[in-house]
């Protein structure tokens, strides 16, 4: 059972407008851990989270994965903020694309990731961390009606939030995560529909919330 987990977040996540012109449909969510997770349990978890996606792609080994484990993933003894900072710096594995409306394809989803906070993830759920511009306007107009960039987003970034969800079966996981990748549902909307309560035994002594 995990204890003394610091699940507090920075208030904002850097907004990189270039990502708006990249296709995230085939990108992967990064999976990090804040607890010591045995390799077999980690492998079983990744297999479980990708099962429906693999089925959709006829188990093609070259098909994109819904969830992957980055080279640096174990943050046991550290804080959620440490993961945020590493994720910001991560190489998003962008592949240039000269056709269509997008300039390239993202290998990693840039502004959201999944965290294991308890070895018994089947029972207590997984933590989904994200930055979302739902309800925010990237552009605004001044008193003369001229369009200008929203300086709040440009300077402060996107508000961060988090929620626990219960990965009850591979099809359910696929529905939640792929809806985000395909922009059918925002992260904020996903939280409204799929978040589970933060139970006391879910992350004992954890300090959650957002740091202003």
């Amino acid at each position: 059972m995990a204890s003394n987990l610091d699940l507090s977040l920075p208030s904002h996540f850097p907004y990189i407008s270039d990502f708006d012109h990249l296709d995230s449909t085939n990108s992967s969510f990064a999976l990090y851990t804040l607890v010591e997770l045995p390799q077999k349990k980690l492998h079983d978890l990744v297999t479980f989270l990708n099962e429906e996606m693999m089925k959709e792609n006829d188990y093609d080994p070259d098909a994109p994965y819904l969830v992957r484990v980055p080279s640096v993933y174990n943050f046991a003894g550290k804080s959620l903020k440490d993961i945020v900072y590493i994720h910001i710096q991560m190489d998003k594995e962008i592949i240039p694309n000269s056709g269509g409306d997008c300039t390239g394809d993202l290998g990693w989803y840039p502004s959201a990731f999944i965290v294991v906070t308890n070895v018994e993830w089947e029972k207590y759920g997984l933590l989904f961390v994200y930055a979302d511009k739902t309800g925010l306007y990237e552009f605004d107009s001044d008193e003369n009606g001229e369009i200008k960039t929203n300086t709040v987003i440009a300077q402060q970034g996107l508000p961060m939030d988090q929620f626990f969800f219960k990965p009850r079966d591979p099809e359910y996981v696929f529905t939640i995560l792929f809806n985000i990748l395909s922009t059918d549902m925002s992260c904020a909307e996903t939280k409204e529909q799929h978040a589970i309560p933060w139970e006391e035994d879910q992350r004992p002594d954890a300090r959650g919330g957002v740091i202003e």
Side-chain angles (χ1 to χ4, degrees), residues 43-60 64-67 169-175 177:
H43 177 269
D44 290 346
L45 172 56
V46 173
T47 299
F48 174 84
L49 296 175
N50 284 298
E51 176 63 28
E52 189 65 23
M53 184 72 155
M54 293 296 96
K55 187 186 299 183
E56 290 282 329
N57 291 306
D58 296 322
Y59 297 96
D60 180 356
Y65 285 83
L66 196 60
V67 177
D169 59 62
E171 185 175 355
Y172 177 74
V173 171
F174 174 79
T175 299
L177 299 183

Side-chain angles (χ1 to χ4, degrees), residues 176 179-187 189-191 193-194:
I176 291 178
N179 278 345
I180 294 174
L181 293 180
S182 60
T183 68
D184 287 339
M185 187 174 290
S186 70
C187 293
E189 292 169 331
T190 302
K191 177 180 180 178
Q193 293 194 22
H194 300 287

Side-chain angles (χ1 to χ4, degrees), residues 8 14 19 26 42 48 55 96 113 158 172 178 184 190 200 202:
S8 57
F19 289 158
N26 292 319
L42 178 63
F48 174 84
K55 187 186 299 183
F113 53 83
L158 302 177
Y172 177 74
F178 191 75
D184 287 339
T190 302
E200 286 306 313
Q202 192 169 349

Side-chain angles (χ1 to χ4, degrees), residues 8-117:
S8 57
L9 288 169
S11 60
H12 290 78
F13 188 93
Y15 173 57
I16 302 176
S17 60
D18 289 349
F19 289 158
D20 291 341
H21 306 292
L22 298 172
D23 188 357
S24 63
T25 306
N26 292 319
S27 63
S28 301
F29 289 101
L31 178 69
Y32 300 97
T33 69
L34 278 172
V35 293
E36 292 289 352
L37 196 64
Q39 280 298 314
K40 185 180 186 308
K41 285 190 72 76
L42 178 63
H43 177 269
D44 290 346
L45 172 56
V46 173
T47 299
F48 174 84
L49 296 175
N50 284 298
E51 176 63 28
E52 189 65 23
M53 184 72 155
M54 293 296 96
K55 187 186 299 183
E56 290 282 329
N57 291 306
D58 296 322
Y59 297 96
D60 180 356
D62 296 323
Y65 285 83
L66 196 60
V67 177
R68 288 189 286 150
V69 179
S71 57
V72 179
Y73 71 90
N74 187 350
F75 287 80
K78 298 183 179 180
S79 71
L80 185 56
K81 291 190 294 293
D82 291 320
I83 296 179
V84 172
Y85 299 141
I86 285 294
H87 191 76
I88 290 171
Q89 298 169 23
M90 172 197 283
D91 177 3
K92 302 306 187 297
E93 298 180 357
I94 298 171
I95 300 175
N97 181 359
S98 58
D101 297 328
C102 297
T103 59
D105 299 316
L106 282 160
W108 293 100
Y109 195 81
S111 55
F113 53 83
I114 301 169
V115 184
V116 182
T117 62

